[in-house]
PDB file of all heavy atoms in Angstrom:
ATOM      1  N   GLY D1107       9.494 -16.681  44.786  1.00  0.00           N
ATOM      2  CA  GLY D1107      10.803 -16.882  45.379  1.00  0.00           C
ATOM      3  C   GLY D1107      10.984 -15.814  46.429  1.00  0.00           C
ATOM      4  O   GLY D1107      10.003 -15.177  46.843  1.00  0.00           O
ATOM      5  N   LEU D1108      12.181 -15.564  46.832  1.00  0.00           N
ATOM      6  CA  LEU D1108      12.409 -14.553  47.854  1.00  0.00           C
ATOM      7  C   LEU D1108      12.000 -13.184  47.331  1.00  0.00           C
ATOM      8  O   LEU D1108      11.284 -12.437  47.983  1.00  0.00           O
ATOM      9  CB  LEU D1108      13.894 -14.569  48.240  1.00  0.00           C
ATOM     10  CG  LEU D1108      14.195 -13.846  49.555  1.00  0.00           C
ATOM     11  CD1 LEU D1108      13.401 -14.467  50.695  1.00  0.00           C
ATOM     12  CD2 LEU D1108      15.685 -13.890  49.835  1.00  0.00           C
ATOM     13  N   LEU D1109      12.438 -12.858  46.137  1.00  0.00           N
ATOM     14  CA  LEU D1109      12.129 -11.558  45.562  1.00  0.00           C
ATOM     15  C   LEU D1109      11.370 -11.673  44.250  1.00  0.00           C
ATOM     16  O   LEU D1109      10.771 -10.714  43.789  1.00  0.00           O
ATOM     17  CB  LEU D1109      13.428 -10.771  45.313  1.00  0.00           C
ATOM     18  CG  LEU D1109      14.153 -10.325  46.571  1.00  0.00           C
ATOM     19  CD1 LEU D1109      15.534  -9.817  46.226  1.00  0.00           C
ATOM     20  CD2 LEU D1109      13.366  -9.233  47.283  1.00  0.00           C
ATOM     21  N   ARG D1110      11.435 -12.867  43.663  1.00  0.00           N
ATOM     22  CA  ARG D1110      10.874 -13.013  42.337  1.00  0.00           C
ATOM     23  C   ARG D1110       9.358 -13.121  42.391  1.00  0.00           C
ATOM     24  O   ARG D1110       8.798 -13.702  43.311  1.00  0.00           O
ATOM     25  CB  ARG D1110      11.457 -14.251  41.675  1.00  0.00           C
ATOM     26  CG  ARG D1110      11.525 -14.101  40.173  1.00  0.00           C
ATOM     27  CD  ARG D1110      12.303 -15.190  39.548  1.00  0.00           C
ATOM     28  NE  ARG D1110      12.250 -16.405  40.362  1.00  0.00           N
ATOM     29  CZ  ARG D1110      12.772 -17.536  39.947  1.00  0.00           C
ATOM     30  NH1 ARG D1110      13.376 -17.589  38.786  1.00  0.00           N
ATOM     31  NH2 ARG D1110      12.723 -18.606  40.690  1.00  0.00           N
ATOM     32  N   ARG D1111       8.731 -12.555  41.384  1.00  0.00           N
ATOM     33  CA  ARG D1111       7.291 -12.697  41.305  1.00  0.00           C
ATOM     34  C   ARG D1111       6.934 -13.176  39.932  1.00  0.00           C
ATOM     35  O   ARG D1111       7.498 -12.730  38.943  1.00  0.00           O
ATOM     36  CB  ARG D1111       6.612 -11.344  41.543  1.00  0.00           C
ATOM     37  CG  ARG D1111       6.640 -10.972  42.990  1.00  0.00           C
ATOM     38  CD  ARG D1111       5.972  -9.660  43.199  1.00  0.00           C
ATOM     39  NE  ARG D1111       5.864  -9.393  44.620  1.00  0.00           N
ATOM     40  CZ  ARG D1111       4.935  -8.613  45.132  1.00  0.00           C
ATOM     41  NH1 ARG D1111       4.062  -8.037  44.338  1.00  0.00           N
ATOM     42  NH2 ARG D1111       4.886  -8.392  46.410  1.00  0.00           N
ATOM     43  N   THR D1112       5.988 -14.097  39.878  1.00  0.00           N
ATOM     44  CA  THR D1112       5.524 -14.528  38.574  1.00  0.00           C
ATOM     45  C   THR D1112       4.106 -14.029  38.383  1.00  0.00           C
ATOM     46  O   THR D1112       3.339 -13.874  39.322  1.00  0.00           O
ATOM     47  CB  THR D1112       5.521 -16.055  38.434  1.00  0.00           C
ATOM     48  OG1 THR D1112       4.914 -16.592  39.601  1.00  0.00           O
ATOM     49  CG2 THR D1112       6.914 -16.597  38.266  1.00  0.00           C
ATOM     50  N   SER D1113       3.790 -13.763  37.140  1.00  0.00           N
ATOM     51  CA  SER D1113       2.496 -13.208  36.824  1.00  0.00           C
ATOM     52  C   SER D1113       1.656 -14.283  36.127  1.00  0.00           C
ATOM     53  O   SER D1113       2.097 -14.884  35.159  1.00  0.00           O
ATOM     54  CB  SER D1113       2.732 -12.017  35.906  1.00  0.00           C
ATOM     55  OG  SER D1113       1.527 -11.419  35.607  1.00  0.00           O
ATOM     56  N   THR D1114       0.475 -14.526  36.671  1.00  0.00           N
ATOM     57  CA  THR D1114      -0.409 -15.488  36.007  1.00  0.00           C
ATOM     58  C   THR D1114      -1.678 -14.768  35.560  1.00  0.00           C
ATOM     59  O   THR D1114      -2.124 -13.826  36.203  1.00  0.00           O
ATOM     60  CB  THR D1114      -0.834 -16.644  36.938  1.00  0.00           C
ATOM     61  OG1 THR D1114      -0.830 -16.153  38.273  1.00  0.00           O
ATOM     62  CG2 THR D1114       0.082 -17.821  36.804  1.00  0.00           C
ATOM     63  N   GLU D1115      -2.230 -15.254  34.467  1.00  0.00           N
ATOM     64  CA  GLU D1115      -3.469 -14.680  33.956  1.00  0.00           C
ATOM     65  C   GLU D1115      -4.655 -15.433  34.533  1.00  0.00           C
ATOM     66  O   GLU D1115      -4.691 -16.652  34.517  1.00  0.00           O
ATOM     67  CB  GLU D1115      -3.490 -14.803  32.438  1.00  0.00           C
ATOM     68  CG  GLU D1115      -2.345 -14.088  31.768  1.00  0.00           C
ATOM     69  CD  GLU D1115      -2.852 -13.132  30.717  1.00  0.00           C
ATOM     70  OE1 GLU D1115      -3.491 -13.588  29.768  1.00  0.00           O
ATOM     71  OE2 GLU D1115      -2.616 -11.923  30.871  1.00  0.00           O
ATOM     72  N   VAL D1116      -5.599 -14.679  35.070  1.00  0.00           N
ATOM     73  CA  VAL D1116      -6.820 -15.297  35.571  1.00  0.00           C
ATOM     74  C   VAL D1116      -7.970 -14.856  34.682  1.00  0.00           C
ATOM     75  O   VAL D1116      -8.200 -13.663  34.504  1.00  0.00           O
ATOM     76  CB  VAL D1116      -7.089 -14.865  37.029  1.00  0.00           C
ATOM     77  CG1 VAL D1116      -8.415 -15.426  37.509  1.00  0.00           C
ATOM     78  CG2 VAL D1116      -5.955 -15.326  37.925  1.00  0.00           C
ATOM     79  N   HIS D1117      -8.656 -15.845  34.097  1.00  0.00           N
ATOM     80  CA  HIS D1117      -9.790 -15.517  33.233  1.00  0.00           C
ATOM     81  C   HIS D1117     -11.056 -15.497  34.080  1.00  0.00           C
ATOM     82  O   HIS D1117     -11.728 -16.505  34.234  1.00  0.00           O
ATOM     83  CB  HIS D1117      -9.916 -16.538  32.107  1.00  0.00           C
ATOM     84  CG  HIS D1117      -8.674 -16.630  31.273  1.00  0.00           C
ATOM     85  ND1 HIS D1117      -8.400 -15.731  30.273  1.00  0.00           N
ATOM     86  CD2 HIS D1117      -7.618 -17.477  31.326  1.00  0.00           C
ATOM     87  CE1 HIS D1117      -7.224 -16.037  29.727  1.00  0.00           C
ATOM     88  NE2 HIS D1117      -6.733 -17.089  30.351  1.00  0.00           N
ATOM     89  N   ALA D1118     -11.345 -14.316  34.637  1.00  0.00           N
ATOM     90  CA  ALA D1118     -12.499 -14.206  35.530  1.00  0.00           C
ATOM     91  C   ALA D1118     -13.791 -14.384  34.748  1.00  0.00           C
ATOM     92  O   ALA D1118     -14.743 -15.002  35.216  1.00  0.00           O
ATOM     93  CB  ALA D1118     -12.487 -12.860  36.235  1.00  0.00           C
ATOM     94  N   VAL D1119     -13.827 -13.808  33.556  1.00  0.00           N
ATOM     95  CA  VAL D1119     -14.965 -13.994  32.655  1.00  0.00           C
ATOM     96  C   VAL D1119     -14.380 -14.450  31.327  1.00  0.00           C
ATOM     97  O   VAL D1119     -13.518 -13.782  30.758  1.00  0.00           O
ATOM     98  CB  VAL D1119     -15.775 -12.691  32.496  1.00  0.00           C
ATOM     99  CG1 VAL D1119     -16.885 -12.875  31.482  1.00  0.00           C
ATOM    100  CG2 VAL D1119     -16.364 -12.273  33.835  1.00  0.00           C
ATOM    101  N   ASP D1120     -14.853 -15.600  30.865  1.00  0.00           N
ATOM    102  CA  ASP D1120     -14.141 -16.265  29.784  1.00  0.00           C
ATOM    103  C   ASP D1120     -15.063 -16.582  28.599  1.00  0.00           C
ATOM    104  O   ASP D1120     -15.329 -17.725  28.286  1.00  0.00           O
ATOM    105  CB  ASP D1120     -13.529 -17.559  30.353  1.00  0.00           C
ATOM    106  CG  ASP D1120     -12.421 -18.102  29.464  1.00  0.00           C
ATOM    107  OD1 ASP D1120     -12.012 -17.400  28.522  1.00  0.00           O
ATOM    108  OD2 ASP D1120     -11.979 -19.240  29.712  1.00  0.00           O
ATOM    109  N   GLY D1121     -15.589 -15.516  27.985  1.00  0.00           N
ATOM    110  CA  GLY D1121     -16.403 -15.727  26.792  1.00  0.00           C
ATOM    111  C   GLY D1121     -17.864 -16.003  27.099  1.00  0.00           C
ATOM    112  O   GLY D1121     -18.381 -17.070  26.793  1.00  0.00           O
ATOM    113  N   ILE D1122     -18.537 -15.016  27.717  1.00  0.00           N
ATOM    114  CA  ILE D1122     -19.956 -15.180  28.055  1.00  0.00           C
ATOM    115  C   ILE D1122     -20.816 -14.416  27.051  1.00  0.00           C
ATOM    116  O   ILE D1122     -20.487 -13.285  26.687  1.00  0.00           O
ATOM    117  CB  ILE D1122     -20.231 -14.655  29.483  1.00  0.00           C
ATOM    118  CG1 ILE D1122     -19.631 -15.621  30.497  1.00  0.00           C
ATOM    119  CG2 ILE D1122     -21.713 -14.479  29.737  1.00  0.00           C
ATOM    120  CD1 ILE D1122     -19.816 -15.172  31.916  1.00  0.00           C
ATOM    121  N   SER D1123     -21.901 -15.032  26.602  1.00  0.00           N
ATOM    122  CA  SER D1123     -22.860 -14.346  25.740  1.00  0.00           C
ATOM    123  C   SER D1123     -24.273 -14.551  26.275  1.00  0.00           C
ATOM    124  O   SER D1123     -24.632 -15.670  26.625  1.00  0.00           O
ATOM    125  CB  SER D1123     -22.813 -14.896  24.307  1.00  0.00           C
ATOM    126  OG  SER D1123     -21.509 -14.816  23.797  1.00  0.00           O
ATOM    127  N   PHE D1124     -25.041 -13.479  26.367  1.00  0.00           N
ATOM    128  CA  PHE D1124     -26.478 -13.602  26.630  1.00  0.00           C
ATOM    129  C   PHE D1124     -27.138 -12.264  26.317  1.00  0.00           C
ATOM    130  O   PHE D1124     -26.452 -11.252  26.187  1.00  0.00           O
ATOM    131  CB  PHE D1124     -26.766 -14.032  28.082  1.00  0.00           C
ATOM    132  CG  PHE D1124     -26.312 -13.073  29.139  1.00  0.00           C
ATOM    133  CD1 PHE D1124     -27.127 -12.029  29.565  1.00  0.00           C
ATOM    134  CD2 PHE D1124     -25.056 -13.210  29.732  1.00  0.00           C
ATOM    135  CE1 PHE D1124     -26.705 -11.154  30.562  1.00  0.00           C
ATOM    136  CE2 PHE D1124     -24.623 -12.334  30.720  1.00  0.00           C
ATOM    137  CZ  PHE D1124     -25.455 -11.308  31.133  1.00  0.00           C
TER     138      PHE D1124
END
Side-chain angles (χ1 to χ4, degrees):
Chain D
L1108 196 58
L1109 291 169
R1110 210 170 27 174
R1111 285 180 173 206
T1112 47
S1113 182
T1114 29
E1115 300 234 299
V1116 176
H1117 302 279
V1119 176
D1120 198 9
I1122 288 178
S1123 305
F1124 63 87

